[in-house]
Amino acid sequence: MTLKDTADEWRITATATPFTGNKTSVRTDDVVMPGGSVATRDYQVHPGSVAVLALDDEGRVLVIKQYRHPVRHRLWEIPAGLLDIPGENPLHAAQRELYEEAHVKAEDWRVLTDIYSSPGGCDEAIRVFLARDLSEADGERFEVDEEEADMEHARVPLDELVRGVLAGDLHHNCLVVGVLSLVAAQNGDGLDALRPADAPWPARPFEA
């Protein structure tokens, strides 16, 4: 048996957007259920995101610590950001985020995994990249503000991050999924067998 998620769309009889924010909005759909009844579903409409698991030559992962107000925590994360431009190439967005948040560039890029962050209440799709062959970025550092102005940076051995995830000490979804996916890839067919950086992404189609 081959397990694979499949695209589908149930009939919508009415839709509304009761809230529109700076980057995201909330949509309310009346959806026809299999038995014919109609149920109301509220969800966040999101442009999508990219994240970068940057692995250096010593087997350490580049992580940042950032305040996240909705959960009232400072979380250890991997560099990530929104797909601000509709149809934007996700690799270009990931390269931009790695530069802006860590002033780092990478020569080798692969797709590590694709996820939906919270599909029961949000349509956010995230592509997590693996970046290797790291070096300091050229030019001046990007000037950050707001929560990013208070970020901490570190390079942490992969094994230490795995222990933190399994101990319940690390919670950010991109870090958790990225770290465990990396270990699975290393123990499976190897990192060079991962999808290329420009692999198709049906959840957020883009131009190469």
Side-chain angles (χ1 to χ4, degrees):
M1 180 180 180
T2 300
L3 294 178
K4 185 175 181 179
D5 297 336
T6 55
D8 195 2
E9 185 171 358
W10 292 358
R11 187 164 67 91
I12 298 170
T13 60
T15 188
T17 305
F19 171 79
T20 300
N22 185 33
K23 297 290 185 180
T24 66
S25 60
V26 172
R27 184 174 297 161
T28 299
D29 290 341
D30 291 340
V31 184
V32 179
M33 298 288 109
S37 62
V38 175
T40 299
R41 295 291 179 260
D42 302 317
Y43 58 100
Q44 183 185 21
V45 178
H46 194 286
S49 304
V50 291
V52 184
L53 195 151
L55 185 68
D56 70 15
D57 293 339
E58 298 178 33
R60 301 175 303 174
V61 176
L62 191 159
V63 292
I64 58 178
K65 194 174 189 180
Q66 185 173 347
Y67 176 66
R68 294 301 188 181
H69 186 71
V71 295
R72 308 305 199 270
H73 271 72
R74 286 169 55 88
L75 300 178
W76 283 107
E77 311 176 1
I78 56 177
L82 298 177
L83 290 168
D84 294 310
I85 305 169
E88 181 179 17
N89 187 310
L91 174 59
H92 298 165
Q95 291 169 332
R96 180 186 67 236
E97 293 300 330
L98 186 60
Y99 159 71
E100 291 181 357
E101 295 192 352
H103 199 67
V104 166
K105 63 181 180 180
E107 298 301 323
D108 186 281
W109 290 83
R110 310 278 173 146
V111 175
L112 187 54
T113 189
D114 298 323
I115 59 174
Y116 290 113
S117 61
S118 183
C122 179
D123 72 351
E124 180 186 18
I126 305 175
R127 169 155 281 189
V128 183
F129 288 91
L130 171 66
R132 294 181 291 173
D133 194 3
L134 309 181
S135 61
E136 189 83 357
D138 302 324
E140 296 182 0
R141 283 188 170 272
F142 182 78
E143 186 174 345
V144 296
D145 58 8
E146 298 179 343
E147 289 93 342
E148 292 182 352
D150 191 46
M151 286 193 304
E152 298 177 41
H153 295 78
R155 294 196 182 195
V156 181
L158 180 60
D159 289 348
E160 185 175 332
L161 293 175
V162 171
R163 285 193 294 271
V165 168
L166 299 180
D169 296 330
L170 301 172
H171 305 89
H172 193 273
N173 59 350
C174 291
L175 183 145
V176 171
V177 171
V179 163
L180 298 184
S181 295
L182 179 60
V183 172
Q186 289 177 330
N187 293 334
D189 295 331
L191 302 186
D192 290 336
L194 291 169
R195 286 174 291 162
D198 60 354
W201 190 17
R204 292 294 184 273
F206 62 92
E207 294 183 7

